[in-house]
């Protein structure tokens, strides 16, 4: 059966609407749309660029559009204007006349003559009069918020937690396109062999300067490579790879991964066990358990088991003090992955952060009873919020005197980033990876 055809901008507009209406994650929808409409090659690249770009810069685009909109417009029309303006302002290779033509044609198809005329008029006025200057905004925090399209409350919070300079660097880093990275399955091959194999496939590969078993793809989607299909690599961010180091894994250990899907950390742990011991992975959703097991199978890892269950009830399935190591990669606000999921910054709130910390503490408390004396518990998140990160682990330690901070093991390149010897906060501007927090604590013998 042939796939329904849509041009790139029509698909982009539909995608932006779906993100806004359903609060769906753009990264998941994007892959769905590429398959649904059979978008391939350069068109898939353009769809990714204009969709992510428009989402990333939404507040800035609205600031630019404000002087040209005399009255309220329907959400789809605003998204069409944002989409078109993004291309006019931020993309060099597409001529304005082509952008205007596409916008007007889409407006005619979706609306009526009045709407297409208005869209044409707004975009031509932008061409004629130019854009308002961000320098008009006097308040530095408001200017940073609008210039980088981060909600004001979030910019204020980061500036308060880390200082204006770090907050500004973080906001700017979140606008950069993420570099795809992968972990080489060192049980089956080497970084050099994989790099050579990928090079022959037409990929442009660079060894990671951060994690010894990691590579970066400067050209090509590694998920479509033979190396991926054959289980020689796993797509995973470099920051995320550091959690397996933090566990200080020894052969023969039994390790629990409490919030495991899609299985990147679970399989990294299994690889470091080198065919000994076992890894038990937990996740709330049955379909995600299948994903974890499929990943383990693809990588040739046999000592992985996975169960669909709430980690806050793990004590009902497992014996007390039965694991040597436990990883709690906890649910979080996700403010460290805004390069990949730009829509998060518009939907999360301060209330979410407070609620998430309570969930994190519940999982940690349950995990605490399952850890052997002298065992290591690693707590990690893909966020940069102090309350969810250092705040959570400090609260846990205050209520669990049988635990103490433990020297954090990380790749050598990150030694200088470790704070208070047991905690690591990675920012997206540090080396281009995700914003990530890792801490290591030990159960007293």
């Amino acid at each position: 059966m042939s796939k329904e055809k849509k041009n790139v901008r029509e698909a982009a507009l539909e995608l932006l609407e779906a993100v806004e209406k359903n609060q769906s994650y753009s990264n998941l929808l994007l892959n769905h749309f590429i398959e649904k409409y059979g978008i391939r090659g350069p068109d898939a690249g353009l769809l990714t660029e204009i969709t992510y770009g428009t989402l990333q810069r939404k507040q800035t685009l609205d600031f630019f559009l404000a002087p040209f909109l005399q009255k309220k417009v329907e959400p789809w029309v605003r998204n069409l204007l944002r989409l078109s303006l993004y291309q006019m302002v931020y993309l060099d290779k597409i001529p304005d006349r082509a952008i205007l033509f596409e916008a007007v044609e889409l407006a005619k198809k979706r609306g009526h003559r009045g709407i297409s005329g208005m869209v044409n008029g707004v975009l031509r006025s932008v061409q004629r009069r130019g854009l308002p200057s961000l320098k008009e905004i006097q308040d530095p925090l408001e200017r940073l918020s609008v210039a980088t399209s981060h909600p004001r409350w979030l910019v204020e919070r980061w500036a308060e937690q880390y200082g204006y300079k770090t907050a500004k660097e973080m906001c700017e880093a979140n606008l950069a396109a993420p570099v795809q990275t992968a972990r080489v399955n060192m049980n089956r091959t080497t970084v050099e062999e994989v790099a050579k194999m990928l090079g022959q496939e037409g990929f442009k590969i660079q060894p990671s300067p951060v994690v010894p078993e990691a590579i970066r793809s400067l050209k090509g989607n590694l998920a479509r490579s033979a190396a991926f299909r054959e289980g020689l690599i796993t797509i995973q961010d470099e920051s995320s790879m550091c959690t397996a180091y933090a566990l200080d894994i020894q052969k023969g250990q039994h390790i629990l991964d409490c919030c495991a899907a899609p299985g990147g950390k679970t399989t990294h742990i299994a690889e470091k066990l080198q065919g000994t011991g076992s890894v038990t992975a937990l996740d709330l959703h049955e379909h995600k358990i299948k994903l974890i097991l499929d990943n383990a199978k693809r990588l040739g890892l046999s000592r992985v088991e996975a169960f669909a269950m709430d980690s806050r009830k793990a004590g009902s399935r497992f014996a007390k003090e039965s694991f040597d190591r436990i990883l709690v990669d906890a649910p979080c606000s996700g403010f460290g992955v805004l390069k990949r999921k730009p829509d998060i910054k518009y939907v999360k709130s301060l209330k979410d952060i407070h609620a998430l910390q309570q969930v994190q503490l519940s999982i940690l408390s349950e995990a605490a009873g399952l850890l052997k004396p002298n065992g290591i518990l690693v707590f990690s998140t893909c966020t940069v919020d102090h309350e969810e990160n250092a705040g959570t682990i400090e609260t846990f330690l205050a209520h669990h005197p049988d635990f103490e901070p433990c020297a954090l093991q990380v790749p050598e390149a990150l030694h200088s980033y470790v704070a208070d010897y047991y905690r690591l906060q990675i920012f997206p501007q540090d080396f281009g990876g995700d914003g990530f927090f890792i801490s290591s604590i030990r159960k007293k013998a």
Side-chain angles (χ1 to χ4, degrees):
M1 193 170 84
S2 63
K3 288 178 177 167
E4 182 188 346
K5 289 288 178 188
K6 280 200 178 178
N7 73 33
V8 171
R9 286 164 189 84
E10 194 174 0
L13 179 59
E14 192 181 319
L15 206 157
L16 289 171
E17 284 186 277
V19 168
E20 208 163 72
K21 272 185 198 167
N22 311 320
Q23 294 193 354
S24 305
Y25 284 140
S26 51
N27 59 324
L28 302 177
L29 276 178
L30 181 65
N31 292 330
H32 172 66
F33 273 55
I34 285 171
E35 289 305 314
K36 181 180 176 181
Y37 296 128
I39 298 169
R40 294 285 176 265
D43 278 353
L46 180 60
L47 177 62
T48 303
E49 167 67 50
I50 63 177
T51 305
Y52 270 104
T54 304
L55 280 169
Q56 286 282 34
R57 306 266 186 182
K58 188 166 76 170
Q59 274 177 252
T60 317
L61 294 167
D62 284 350
F63 172 79
F64 289 154
L65 282 168
F68 303 97
L69 291 174
Q70 305 309 317
K71 57 184 181 179
K72 194 175 177 183
V73 296
E74 290 182 61
W76 75 266
V77 178
R78 182 176 286 277
N79 275 321
L80 177 57
L81 289 168
R82 286 170 178 157
L83 187 65
S84 305
L85 188 59
Y86 174 77
Q87 295 169 79
M88 289 168 71
V89 176
Y90 296 104
L91 298 187
D92 302 329
K93 293 178 182 175
I94 306 171
D96 281 4
R97 66 178 183 278
I99 297 165
L100 262 76
F101 174 78
E102 287 273 7
V104 170
E105 288 302 302
L106 254 176
K108 281 180 190 171
K109 187 172 179 179
R110 290 285 302 269
H112 51 72
R113 188 183 294 275
I115 289 177
S116 64
M118 186 272 287
V119 167
N120 186 47
V122 167
L123 296 177
R124 290 198 180 278
S125 294
V126 170
Q127 275 187 312
R128 248 188 350 264
R129 288 160 48 189
L131 298 169
S133 171
L134 290 159
K135 291 176 183 174
E136 293 170 14
I137 305 171
Q138 298 301 310
D139 177 5
L141 288 174
E142 181 65 21
R143 187 165 60 247
L144 179 59
S145 166
V146 173
T148 63
S149 281
H150 285 72
R152 167 75 188 237
W153 74 269
L154 197 53
V155 172
E156 281 182 358
R157 188 170 174 85
W158 289 348
E160 188 183 313
Q161 290 179 348
Y162 302 111
Y164 178 83
K165 181 176 178 286
T166 298
K168 182 172 184 287
E169 288 170 354
M170 186 152 40
C171 290
E172 288 169 349
N174 285 338
L175 297 176
V179 174
Q180 190 185 45
T181 57
R183 187 187 79 238
V184 174
N185 185 350
M186 303 294 274
N187 292 341
R188 298 176 66 178
T189 184
T190 64
V191 169
E192 293 73 24
E193 284 170 1
V194 166
K196 184 181 175 186
M197 181 179 177
L198 289 166
Q200 288 167 350
E201 279 192 77
F203 291 87
K204 191 174 177 187
I205 297 301
Q206 185 184 72
S208 164
V210 181
V211 182
E213 61 264 47
I215 54 171
R216 295 176 173 181
S217 175
L218 306 182
K219 180 190 167 190
N221 181 354
L222 295 171
R224 297 206 169 99
S225 67
F228 181 83
R229 287 192 299 276
E230 292 168 20
L232 303 180
I233 60 171
T234 298
I235 311 300
Q236 189 183 10
D237 186 77
E238 290 156 297
S239 300
S240 168
M241 293 180 208
C242 297
T243 53
Y245 280 79
L247 286 163
D248 191 19
I249 295 165
Q250 311 297 320
K251 283 186 180 180
Q253 288 181 331
H254 300 287
I255 301 177
L256 178 66
D257 185 355
C258 284
C259 312
K265 299 177 192 69
T266 302
T267 52
H268 196 189
I269 293 165
E271 285 168 17
K272 283 192 172 293
L273 282 168
Q274 297 177 16
T276 70
S278 67
V279 191
T280 303
L282 307 180
D283 199 87
L284 267 176
H285 306 288
E286 195 69 57
H287 69 279
K288 290 186 176 179
I289 293 300
K290 184 179 183 304
L291 202 56
I292 295 166
L293 294 173
D294 286 349
N295 266 325
K297 186 178 178 183
R298 181 179 61 82
L299 294 163
L301 301 167
S302 58
R303 293 175 174 264
V304 176
E305 58 179 5
F307 303 99
M309 72 175 300
D310 187 334
S311 295
R312 290 171 290 185
K313 298 173 183 171
S316 65
R317 179 182 279 270
F318 305 105
K320 196 179 174 187
E321 298 185 344
S322 54
F323 293 99
D324 300 286
R325 301 283 189 267
I326 297 180
L327 171 61
V328 175
D329 184 53
C332 69
S333 59
F335 288 136
V337 295
L338 295 183
K339 285 181 199 172
R340 303 174 198 282
K341 299 176 182 177
D343 27 300
I344 287 176
K345 60 189 174 183
Y346 307 120
V347 297
K348 295 286 185 189
S349 68
L350 196 55
K351 191 176 164 188
D352 293 319
I353 290 173
H354 299 327
L356 283 161
Q357 191 191 48
Q358 294 312 306
V359 173
Q360 293 166 354
L361 288 166
S362 296
I363 297 171
L364 282 170
S365 293
E366 188 73 4
L370 299 175
L371 188 65
K372 291 178 183 177
N374 217 32
I376 292 172
L377 193 161
V378 169
F379 172 71
S380 64
T381 71
C382 59
T383 191
V384 292
D385 190 85
H386 190 273
E387 181 181 331
E388 292 179 85
N389 293 340
T392 295
I393 206 66
E394 285 166 8
T395 302
F396 174 83
L397 286 170
H399 289 89
H400 292 80
D402 54 331
F403 277 80
E404 62 187 357
C406 164
L408 181 64
Q409 305 298 312
V410 292
E412 195 175 336
L414 293 182
H415 282 179
S416 61
Y417 291 84
V418 177
D420 303 329
Y421 86 91
Y422 77 103
R423 300 186 311 204
L424 168 66
Q425 177 66 68
I426 300 168
F427 293 109
Q429 64 266 34
D430 286 343
F431 51 80
D434 290 340
F436 217 85
F437 176 81
I438 308 172
S439 62
S440 175
I441 56 177
R442 187 189 305 278
K443 193 174 198 176
K444 295 174 185 175

